[in-house]
PDB file of all heavy atoms in Angstrom:
ATOM      1  N   PRO A  11     -33.053  66.364  46.531  1.00 48.00           N
ATOM      2  CA  PRO A  11     -32.615  67.345  47.543  1.00 48.00           C
ATOM      3  C   PRO A  11     -33.258  67.149  48.893  1.00 48.00           C
ATOM      4  O   PRO A  11     -34.448  66.719  48.936  1.00 48.00           O
ATOM      5  CB  PRO A  11     -32.989  68.715  46.895  1.00 48.00           C
ATOM      6  CG  PRO A  11     -33.114  68.438  45.433  1.00 48.00           C
ATOM      7  CD  PRO A  11     -33.684  67.009  45.374  1.00 48.00           C
ATOM      8  N   SER A  12     -32.513  67.426  49.942  1.00 47.00           N
ATOM      9  CA  SER A  12     -33.177  67.277  51.271  1.00 47.00           C
ATOM     10  C   SER A  12     -34.178  68.274  51.574  1.00 47.00           C
ATOM     11  O   SER A  12     -34.286  69.365  50.985  1.00 47.00           O
ATOM     12  CB  SER A  12     -32.073  67.353  52.295  1.00 47.00           C
ATOM     13  OG  SER A  12     -31.523  68.688  52.330  1.00 47.00           O
ATOM     14  N   LEU A  13     -35.098  67.982  52.523  1.00 42.00           N
ATOM     15  CA  LEU A  13     -36.229  68.925  52.922  1.00 42.00           C
ATOM     16  C   LEU A  13     -35.719  70.243  53.424  1.00 42.00           C
ATOM     17  O   LEU A  13     -36.151  71.327  53.180  1.00 42.00           O
ATOM     18  CB  LEU A  13     -37.050  68.238  53.951  1.00 42.00           C
ATOM     19  CG  LEU A  13     -38.265  69.117  54.419  1.00 42.00           C
ATOM     20  CD1 LEU A  13     -39.226  69.437  53.261  1.00 42.00           C
ATOM     21  CD2 LEU A  13     -38.981  68.276  55.563  1.00 42.00           C
ATOM     22  N   SER A  14     -34.528  70.099  54.182  1.00 47.00           N
ATOM     23  CA  SER A  14     -33.854  71.360  54.745  1.00 47.00           C
ATOM     24  C   SER A  14     -33.392  72.223  53.688  1.00 47.00           C
ATOM     25  O   SER A  14     -33.488  73.406  53.713  1.00 47.00           O
ATOM     26  CB  SER A  14     -32.770  70.973  55.748  1.00 47.00           C
ATOM     27  OG  SER A  14     -31.742  70.216  55.043  1.00 47.00           O
ATOM     28  N   MET A  15     -32.822  71.580  52.637  1.00 46.00           N
ATOM     29  CA  MET A  15     -32.341  72.378  51.432  1.00 46.00           C
ATOM     30  C   MET A  15     -33.535  73.107  50.799  1.00 46.00           C
ATOM     31  O   MET A  15     -33.377  74.330  50.526  1.00 46.00           O
ATOM     32  CB  MET A  15     -31.671  71.516  50.446  1.00 46.00           C
ATOM     33  CG  MET A  15     -31.218  72.288  49.292  1.00 46.00           C
ATOM     34  SD  MET A  15     -31.127  71.248  47.790  1.00 46.00           S
ATOM     35  CE  MET A  15     -30.805  72.457  46.561  1.00 46.00           C
ATOM     36  N   LEU A  16     -34.628  72.394  50.616  1.00 45.00           N
ATOM     37  CA  LEU A  16     -35.731  73.057  49.882  1.00 45.00           C
ATOM     38  C   LEU A  16     -36.330  74.144  50.714  1.00 45.00           C
ATOM     39  O   LEU A  16     -36.719  75.229  50.178  1.00 45.00           O
ATOM     40  CB  LEU A  16     -36.826  71.985  49.576  1.00 45.00           C
ATOM     41  CG  LEU A  16     -36.377  70.859  48.573  1.00 45.00           C
ATOM     42  CD1 LEU A  16     -37.488  69.884  48.361  1.00 45.00           C
ATOM     43  CD2 LEU A  16     -35.905  71.414  47.285  1.00 45.00           C
ATOM     44  N   SER A  17     -36.443  73.976  52.002  1.00 46.00           N
ATOM     45  CA  SER A  17     -36.971  74.989  52.904  1.00 46.00           C
ATOM     46  C   SER A  17     -36.073  76.227  52.913  1.00 46.00           C
ATOM     47  O   SER A  17     -36.556  77.378  52.850  1.00 46.00           O
ATOM     48  CB  SER A  17     -37.187  74.507  54.289  1.00 46.00           C
ATOM     49  OG  SER A  17     -35.959  74.143  54.894  1.00 46.00           O
ATOM     50  N   GLN A  18     -34.696  76.073  52.966  1.00 48.00           N
ATOM     51  CA  GLN A  18     -33.788  77.143  53.031  1.00 48.00           C
ATOM     52  C   GLN A  18     -33.785  77.889  51.651  1.00 48.00           C
ATOM     53  O   GLN A  18     -33.792  79.155  51.582  1.00 48.00           O
ATOM     54  CB  GLN A  18     -32.434  76.649  53.368  1.00 48.00           C
ATOM     55  CG  GLN A  18     -32.261  76.245  54.769  1.00 48.00           C
ATOM     56  CD  GLN A  18     -30.893  75.817  55.155  1.00 48.00           C
ATOM     57  OE1 GLN A  18     -30.016  76.650  55.033  1.00 48.00           O
ATOM     58  NE2 GLN A  18     -30.643  74.638  55.584  1.00 48.00           N
ATOM     59  N   THR A  19     -33.794  77.161  50.484  1.00 48.00           N
ATOM     60  CA  THR A  19     -33.747  77.817  49.266  1.00 48.00           C
ATOM     61  C   THR A  19     -35.121  78.499  48.983  1.00 48.00           C
ATOM     62  O   THR A  19     -35.134  79.563  48.366  1.00 48.00           O
ATOM     63  CB  THR A  19     -33.486  76.865  48.107  1.00 48.00           C
ATOM     64  OG1 THR A  19     -34.368  75.783  48.224  1.00 48.00           O
ATOM     65  CG2 THR A  19     -32.082  76.328  48.169  1.00 48.00           C
ATOM     66  N   GLY A  20     -36.115  77.949  49.590  1.00 48.00           N
ATOM     67  CA  GLY A  20     -37.447  78.669  49.475  1.00 48.00           C
ATOM     68  C   GLY A  20     -37.388  79.977  50.147  1.00 48.00           C
ATOM     69  O   GLY A  20     -38.022  80.991  49.731  1.00 48.00           O
ATOM     70  N   SER A  21     -36.758  80.032  51.312  1.00 45.00           N
ATOM     71  CA  SER A  21     -36.698  81.304  52.092  1.00 45.00           C
ATOM     72  C   SER A  21     -35.838  82.276  51.231  1.00 45.00           C
ATOM     73  O   SER A  21     -36.122  83.529  51.269  1.00 45.00           O
ATOM     74  CB  SER A  21     -35.959  80.995  53.379  1.00 45.00           C
ATOM     75  OG  SER A  21     -36.747  80.082  54.222  1.00 45.00           O
ATOM     76  N   ILE A  22     -34.772  81.762  50.593  1.00 46.00           N
ATOM     77  CA  ILE A  22     -33.999  82.695  49.730  1.00 46.00           C
ATOM     78  C   ILE A  22     -34.789  83.348  48.709  1.00 46.00           C
ATOM     79  O   ILE A  22     -34.806  84.495  48.442  1.00 46.00           O
ATOM     80  CB  ILE A  22     -32.825  81.951  49.206  1.00 46.00           C
ATOM     81  CG1 ILE A  22     -31.812  81.451  50.206  1.00 46.00           C
ATOM     82  CG2 ILE A  22     -32.038  82.794  48.127  1.00 46.00           C
ATOM     83  CD1 ILE A  22     -30.815  80.464  49.749  1.00 46.00           C
ATOM     84  N   ARG A  23     -35.612  82.474  48.049  1.00 49.00           N
ATOM     85  CA  ARG A  23     -36.450  83.009  46.955  1.00 49.00           C
ATOM     86  C   ARG A  23     -37.492  83.963  47.438  1.00 49.00           C
ATOM     87  O   ARG A  23     -37.828  85.007  46.797  1.00 49.00           O
ATOM     88  CB  ARG A  23     -37.162  81.880  46.187  1.00 49.00           C
ATOM     89  CG  ARG A  23     -36.227  80.977  45.393  1.00 49.00           C
ATOM     90  CD  ARG A  23     -36.948  79.909  44.648  1.00 49.00           C
ATOM     91  NE  ARG A  23     -37.913  80.513  43.756  1.00 49.00           N
ATOM     92  CZ  ARG A  23     -38.957  79.800  43.190  1.00 49.00           C
ATOM     93  NH1 ARG A  23     -39.099  78.588  43.469  1.00 49.00           N
ATOM     94  NH2 ARG A  23     -39.671  80.478  42.288  1.00 49.00           N
ATOM     95  N   ALA A  24     -38.084  83.681  48.574  1.00 43.00           N
ATOM     96  CA  ALA A  24     -39.050  84.565  49.181  1.00 43.00           C
ATOM     97  C   ALA A  24     -38.490  85.923  49.474  1.00 43.00           C
ATOM     98  O   ALA A  24     -39.069  86.998  49.274  1.00 43.00           O
ATOM     99  CB  ALA A  24     -39.661  83.932  50.441  1.00 43.00           C
ATOM    100  N   SER A  25     -37.271  85.912  50.083  1.00 47.00           N
ATOM    101  CA  SER A  25     -36.649  87.172  50.396  1.00 47.00           C
ATOM    102  C   SER A  25     -36.320  88.008  49.137  1.00 47.00           C
ATOM    103  O   SER A  25     -36.340  89.271  49.198  1.00 47.00           O
ATOM    104  CB  SER A  25     -35.342  87.011  51.200  1.00 47.00           C
ATOM    105  OG  SER A  25     -34.422  86.250  50.417  1.00 47.00           O
ATOM    106  N   GLN A  26     -36.116  87.350  48.079  1.00 48.00           N
ATOM    107  CA  GLN A  26     -35.794  88.022  46.814  1.00 48.00           C
ATOM    108  C   GLN A  26     -37.062  88.579  46.113  1.00 48.00           C
ATOM    109  O   GLN A  26     -36.988  89.706  45.686  1.00 48.00           O
ATOM    110  CB  GLN A  26     -35.015  87.104  45.859  1.00 48.00           C
ATOM    111  CG  GLN A  26     -33.638  86.672  46.328  1.00 48.00           C
ATOM    112  CD  GLN A  26     -33.053  85.645  45.548  1.00 48.00           C
ATOM    113  OE1 GLN A  26     -33.747  84.742  44.939  1.00 48.00           O
ATOM    114  NE2 GLN A  26     -31.750  85.498  45.401  1.00 48.00           N
ATOM    115  N   THR A  27     -38.068  87.813  46.110  1.00 48.00           N
ATOM    116  CA  THR A  27     -39.313  88.269  45.436  1.00 48.00           C
ATOM    117  C   THR A  27     -40.070  89.242  46.230  1.00 48.00           C
ATOM    118  O   THR A  27     -40.827  90.047  45.639  1.00 48.00           O
ATOM    119  CB  THR A  27     -40.176  87.055  45.161  1.00 48.00           C
ATOM    120  OG1 THR A  27     -40.446  86.346  46.377  1.00 48.00           O
ATOM    121  CG2 THR A  27     -39.530  86.105  44.153  1.00 48.00           C
ATOM    122  N   CYS A  28     -39.802  89.361  47.585  1.00 44.00           N
ATOM    123  CA  CYS A  28     -40.555  90.328  48.336  1.00 44.00           C
ATOM    124  C   CYS A  28     -40.062  91.764  48.111  1.00 44.00           C
ATOM    125  O   CYS A  28     -40.814  92.733  48.297  1.00 44.00           O
ATOM    126  CB  CYS A  28     -40.381  90.029  49.864  1.00 44.00           C
ATOM    127  SG  CYS A  28     -41.332  88.595  50.350  1.00 44.00           S
ATOM    128  N   SER A  29     -38.806  91.950  47.656  1.00 48.00           N
ATOM    129  CA  SER A  29     -38.277  93.234  47.464  1.00 48.00           C
ATOM    130  C   SER A  29     -38.444  93.679  46.094  1.00 48.00           C
ATOM    131  O   SER A  29     -37.511  93.836  45.324  1.00 48.00           O
ATOM    132  CB  SER A  29     -36.777  93.275  47.891  1.00 48.00           C
ATOM    133  OG  SER A  29     -36.082  92.304  47.109  1.00 48.00           O
ATOM    134  N   THR A  30     -39.692  93.849  45.645  1.00 51.00           N
ATOM    135  CA  THR A  30     -39.929  94.234  44.246  1.00 51.00           C
ATOM    136  C   THR A  30     -39.504  95.559  43.878  1.00 51.00           C
ATOM    137  O   THR A  30     -39.056  95.831  42.774  1.00 51.00           O
ATOM    138  CB  THR A  30     -41.379  94.125  43.928  1.00 51.00           C
ATOM    139  OG1 THR A  30     -42.193  95.015  44.888  1.00 51.00           O
ATOM    140  CG2 THR A  30     -41.894  92.745  44.046  1.00 51.00           C
ATOM    141  N   SER A  31     -39.550  96.503  44.828  1.00 50.00           N
ATOM    142  CA  SER A  31     -39.055  97.793  44.554  1.00 50.00           C
ATOM    143  C   SER A  31     -37.604  97.918  44.243  1.00 50.00           C
ATOM    144  O   SER A  31     -37.078  98.661  43.511  1.00 50.00           O
ATOM    145  CB  SER A  31     -39.356  98.702  45.747  1.00 50.00           C
ATOM    146  OG  SER A  31     -38.672  98.293  46.918  1.00 50.00           O
ATOM    147  N   SER A  32     -36.767  97.022  44.838  1.00 56.00           N
ATOM    148  CA  SER A  32     -35.329  97.048  44.644  1.00 56.00           C
ATOM    149  C   SER A  32     -34.988  96.673  43.239  1.00 56.00           C
ATOM    150  O   SER A  32     -33.963  96.882  42.702  1.00 56.00           O
ATOM    151  CB  SER A  32     -34.631  96.192  45.697  1.00 56.00           C
ATOM    152  OG  SER A  32     -34.968  94.817  45.493  1.00 56.00           O
ATOM    153  N   ALA A  33     -35.840  95.770  42.543  1.00 56.00           N
ATOM    154  CA  ALA A  33     -35.671  95.429  41.228  1.00 56.00           C
ATOM    155  C   ALA A  33     -35.562  96.540  40.216  1.00 56.00           C
ATOM    156  O   ALA A  33     -35.017  96.387  39.099  1.00 56.00           O
ATOM    157  CB  ALA A  33     -36.736  94.352  40.769  1.00 56.00           C
ATOM    158  N   LYS A  34     -36.131  97.719  40.578  1.00 67.00           N
ATOM    159  CA  LYS A  34     -36.009  98.878  39.767  1.00 67.00           C
ATOM    160  C   LYS A  34     -34.655  99.485  39.766  1.00 67.00           C
ATOM    161  O   LYS A  34     -34.335 100.280  38.862  1.00 67.00           O
ATOM    162  CB  LYS A  34     -37.060  99.903  40.135  1.00 67.00           C
ATOM    163  CG  LYS A  34     -38.540  99.345  40.071  1.00 67.00           C
ATOM    164  CD  LYS A  34     -39.551 100.408  40.592  1.00 67.00           C
ATOM    165  CE  LYS A  34     -40.944  99.827  40.558  1.00 67.00           C
ATOM    166  NZ  LYS A  34     -41.931 100.843  41.021  1.00 67.00           N
ATOM    167  N   LEU A  35     -33.929  99.140  40.776  1.00 77.00           N
ATOM    168  CA  LEU A  35     -32.542  99.662  40.760  1.00 77.00           C
ATOM    169  C   LEU A  35     -31.592  98.940  39.836  1.00 77.00           C
ATOM    170  O   LEU A  35     -31.818  97.741  39.597  1.00 77.00           O
ATOM    171  CB  LEU A  35     -31.949  99.602  42.244  1.00 77.00           C
ATOM    172  CG  LEU A  35     -32.686 100.407  43.292  1.00 77.00           C
ATOM    173  CD1 LEU A  35     -32.199 100.005  44.683  1.00 77.00           C
ATOM    174  CD2 LEU A  35     -32.610 101.886  43.051  1.00 77.00           C
ATOM    175  N   PRO A  36     -30.519  99.555  39.350  1.00 79.00           N
ATOM    176  CA  PRO A  36     -29.513  98.807  38.613  1.00 79.00           C
ATOM    177  C   PRO A  36     -28.936  97.694  39.434  1.00 79.00           C
ATOM    178  O   PRO A  36     -28.798  97.721  40.673  1.00 79.00           O
ATOM    179  CB  PRO A  36     -28.479  99.870  38.342  1.00 79.00           C
ATOM    180  CG  PRO A  36     -29.122 101.129  38.520  1.00 79.00           C
ATOM    181  CD  PRO A  36     -30.186 100.930  39.521  1.00 79.00           C
ATOM    182  N   LEU A  37     -28.459  96.623  38.698  1.00 81.00           N
ATOM    183  CA  LEU A  37     -27.907  95.431  39.353  1.00 81.00           C
ATOM    184  C   LEU A  37     -26.813  95.777  40.333  1.00 81.00           C
ATOM    185  O   LEU A  37     -26.701  95.265  41.461  1.00 81.00           O
ATOM    186  CB  LEU A  37     -27.543  94.402  38.311  1.00 81.00           C
ATOM    187  CG  LEU A  37     -26.856  93.134  38.852  1.00 81.00           C
ATOM    188  CD1 LEU A  37     -27.895  92.368  39.665  1.00 81.00           C
ATOM    189  CD2 LEU A  37     -26.299  92.334  37.666  1.00 81.00           C
TER     190      LEU A  37
END
Side-chain angles (χ1 to χ4, degrees):
S12 67
L13 181 59
S14 61
M15 176 205 170
L16 297 181
S17 63
Q18 290 185 57
T19 53
S21 299
I22 294 170
R23 292 182 62 196
S25 65
Q26 292 168 335
T27 55
C28 285
S29 56
T30 55
S31 60
S32 65
K34 298 178 181 179
L35 297 173
L37 178 64

